[in-house]
Short mmCIF file of all heavy atoms in Angstrom, two decimals:
data_model
loop_
_atom_site.label_atom_id
_atom_site.label_comp_id
_atom_site.label_asym_id
_atom_site.label_seq_id
_atom_site.Cartn_x
_atom_site.Cartn_y
_atom_site.Cartn_z
N SER A 334 -17.87 82.75 30.07
CA SER A 334 -17.78 83.93 29.31
C SER A 334 -17.74 85.12 30.21
O SER A 334 -18.53 85.18 31.13
CB SER A 334 -18.94 84.05 28.33
OG SER A 334 -18.94 82.99 27.39
N ILE A 342 -22.92 91.67 21.40
CA ILE A 342 -22.95 90.41 20.83
C ILE A 342 -24.17 90.27 20.07
O ILE A 342 -25.22 90.49 20.55
CB ILE A 342 -22.88 89.29 21.92
CG1 ILE A 342 -21.64 89.40 22.79
CG2 ILE A 342 -23.05 87.92 21.33
CD1 ILE A 342 -20.35 88.93 22.08
N VAL A 346 -24.16 84.38 17.51
CA VAL A 346 -22.72 84.42 18.02
C VAL A 346 -22.71 83.63 19.31
O VAL A 346 -23.56 83.73 20.13
CB VAL A 346 -22.31 85.88 18.34
CG1 VAL A 346 -20.98 85.94 19.02
CG2 VAL A 346 -22.30 86.71 17.03
N GLU A 347 -21.66 82.77 19.38
CA GLU A 347 -21.43 81.87 20.51
C GLU A 347 -20.13 82.19 21.19
O GLU A 347 -19.22 82.31 20.53
CB GLU A 347 -21.48 80.48 20.01
CG GLU A 347 -21.08 79.37 21.07
CD GLU A 347 -21.10 77.94 20.52
OE1 GLU A 347 -21.44 77.80 19.29
OE2 GLU A 347 -20.61 77.06 21.13
N THR A 348 -20.20 82.36 22.48
CA THR A 348 -18.93 82.63 23.23
C THR A 348 -18.84 81.50 24.28
O THR A 348 -19.82 81.08 24.82
CB THR A 348 -18.86 83.96 23.92
OG1 THR A 348 -19.80 83.98 25.00
CG2 THR A 348 -19.08 85.13 22.94
N LYS A 349 -17.62 81.04 24.51
CA LYS A 349 -17.34 80.06 25.55
C LYS A 349 -16.01 80.31 26.17
O LYS A 349 -15.07 80.48 25.41
CB LYS A 349 -17.38 78.61 24.96
CG LYS A 349 -17.30 77.58 26.01
CD LYS A 349 -16.44 76.38 25.65
CE LYS A 349 -14.97 76.77 25.66
NZ LYS A 349 -14.03 75.57 25.40
N ALA A 350 -15.90 80.33 27.45
CA ALA A 350 -14.67 80.65 28.20
C ALA A 350 -13.86 81.72 27.47
O ALA A 350 -12.77 81.55 27.19
CB ALA A 350 -13.83 79.30 28.28
N THR A 351 -14.56 82.80 27.23
CA THR A 351 -13.98 83.92 26.47
C THR A 351 -14.20 85.24 27.23
O THR A 351 -15.20 85.46 27.79
CB THR A 351 -14.65 83.95 25.08
OG1 THR A 351 -14.00 82.96 24.27
CG2 THR A 351 -14.46 85.31 24.42
N MET A 353 -14.10 89.33 26.91
CA MET A 353 -14.05 90.41 25.94
C MET A 353 -14.01 91.76 26.69
O MET A 353 -14.74 91.95 27.62
CB MET A 353 -15.37 90.42 25.08
CG MET A 353 -15.32 89.34 24.00
SD MET A 353 -16.81 89.23 23.03
CE MET A 353 -16.55 90.49 21.83
N ALA A 359 -18.98 91.62 18.53
CA ALA A 359 -19.02 90.41 17.58
C ALA A 359 -20.48 90.43 17.22
O ALA A 359 -21.35 89.87 17.95
CB ALA A 359 -18.63 89.14 18.31
N ALA A 363 -20.59 84.23 14.76
CA ALA A 363 -19.21 83.95 15.20
C ALA A 363 -19.22 82.93 16.28
O ALA A 363 -20.13 82.76 16.98
CB ALA A 363 -18.53 85.23 15.54
N TYR A 364 -17.95 82.19 16.39
CA TYR A 364 -17.79 81.37 17.51
C TYR A 364 -16.44 81.76 18.20
O TYR A 364 -15.39 81.79 17.55
CB TYR A 364 -17.63 79.88 17.11
CG TYR A 364 -17.14 79.02 18.31
CD1 TYR A 364 -17.85 78.98 19.49
CD2 TYR A 364 -15.88 78.30 18.23
CE1 TYR A 364 -17.37 78.28 20.59
CE2 TYR A 364 -15.42 77.65 19.33
CZ TYR A 364 -16.17 77.62 20.49
OH TYR A 364 -15.69 76.91 21.60
N LEU A 365 -16.55 82.23 19.45
CA LEU A 365 -15.36 82.74 20.10
C LEU A 365 -15.16 81.83 21.34
O LEU A 365 -15.96 81.96 22.31
CB LEU A 365 -15.59 84.15 20.54
CG LEU A 365 -15.87 85.09 19.38
CD1 LEU A 365 -16.32 86.52 19.81
CD2 LEU A 365 -14.63 85.21 18.47
N GLY A 366 -14.23 80.85 21.24
CA GLY A 366 -14.05 79.95 22.35
C GLY A 366 -12.61 80.07 22.90
O GLY A 366 -11.71 80.25 22.08
N ASP A 367 -12.46 79.96 24.16
CA ASP A 367 -11.09 80.04 24.88
C ASP A 367 -10.31 81.25 24.34
O ASP A 367 -9.17 81.05 23.93
CB ASP A 367 -10.36 78.67 24.61
CG ASP A 367 -11.14 77.52 25.03
OD1 ASP A 367 -11.53 77.45 26.24
OD2 ASP A 367 -11.46 76.60 24.21
N SER A 368 -10.93 82.42 24.38
CA SER A 368 -10.27 83.55 23.85
C SER A 368 -10.13 84.65 24.87
O SER A 368 -10.93 84.76 25.81
CB SER A 368 -11.03 84.15 22.73
OG SER A 368 -11.42 83.10 21.82
N ILE A 370 -9.84 88.54 24.67
CA ILE A 370 -10.05 89.58 23.59
C ILE A 370 -10.09 90.95 24.34
O ILE A 370 -10.70 91.09 25.41
CB ILE A 370 -11.40 89.41 22.93
CG1 ILE A 370 -11.42 88.03 22.12
CG2 ILE A 370 -11.72 90.51 21.90
CD1 ILE A 370 -12.76 87.66 21.58
N ILE A 376 -14.88 92.00 15.82
CA ILE A 376 -14.81 90.65 15.24
C ILE A 376 -15.78 90.68 14.08
O ILE A 376 -16.98 90.78 14.29
CB ILE A 376 -15.28 89.60 16.30
CG1 ILE A 376 -14.47 89.71 17.65
CG2 ILE A 376 -15.17 88.21 15.73
CD1 ILE A 376 -13.05 89.28 17.56
N THR A 380 -16.71 84.86 11.91
CA THR A 380 -15.25 84.54 12.38
C THR A 380 -15.39 83.35 13.44
O THR A 380 -16.22 83.34 14.28
CB THR A 380 -14.67 85.80 13.06
OG1 THR A 380 -14.30 86.66 11.92
CG2 THR A 380 -13.39 85.38 13.80
N ILE A 381 -14.39 82.45 13.25
CA ILE A 381 -14.42 81.26 14.12
C ILE A 381 -13.04 81.15 14.83
O ILE A 381 -12.02 81.26 14.07
CB ILE A 381 -14.58 79.95 13.31
CG1 ILE A 381 -15.88 79.97 12.47
CG2 ILE A 381 -14.54 78.77 14.19
CD1 ILE A 381 -17.15 79.93 13.31
N THR A 382 -12.96 81.01 16.11
CA THR A 382 -11.73 80.65 16.74
C THR A 382 -11.68 79.07 16.69
O THR A 382 -12.52 78.40 17.13
CB THR A 382 -11.66 81.06 18.25
OG1 THR A 382 -12.82 80.57 18.89
CG2 THR A 382 -11.74 82.61 18.35
N ILE A 395 -6.43 88.25 21.42
CA ILE A 395 -6.62 89.40 20.47
C ILE A 395 -6.44 90.71 21.31
O ILE A 395 -7.18 90.94 22.23
CB ILE A 395 -8.02 89.35 19.78
CG1 ILE A 395 -8.22 87.92 19.04
CG2 ILE A 395 -8.17 90.46 18.77
CD1 ILE A 395 -9.53 87.79 18.47
N LEU A 407 -9.33 81.72 13.00
CA LEU A 407 -8.21 82.00 13.83
C LEU A 407 -7.70 80.65 14.55
O LEU A 407 -8.42 80.16 15.37
CB LEU A 407 -8.60 83.02 14.95
CG LEU A 407 -9.32 84.31 14.39
CD1 LEU A 407 -9.70 85.25 15.53
CD2 LEU A 407 -8.44 85.02 13.39
#
Side-chain angles (χ1 to χ4, degrees):
S334 297
I342 298 289
V346 172
E347 172 183 352
T348 66
K349 187 220 72 175
T351 281
M353 284 177 83
Y364 170 60
L365 303 170
D367 304 304
S368 313
I370 299 170
I376 306 284
T380 290
I381 304 290
T382 52
I395 303 175
L407 308 177

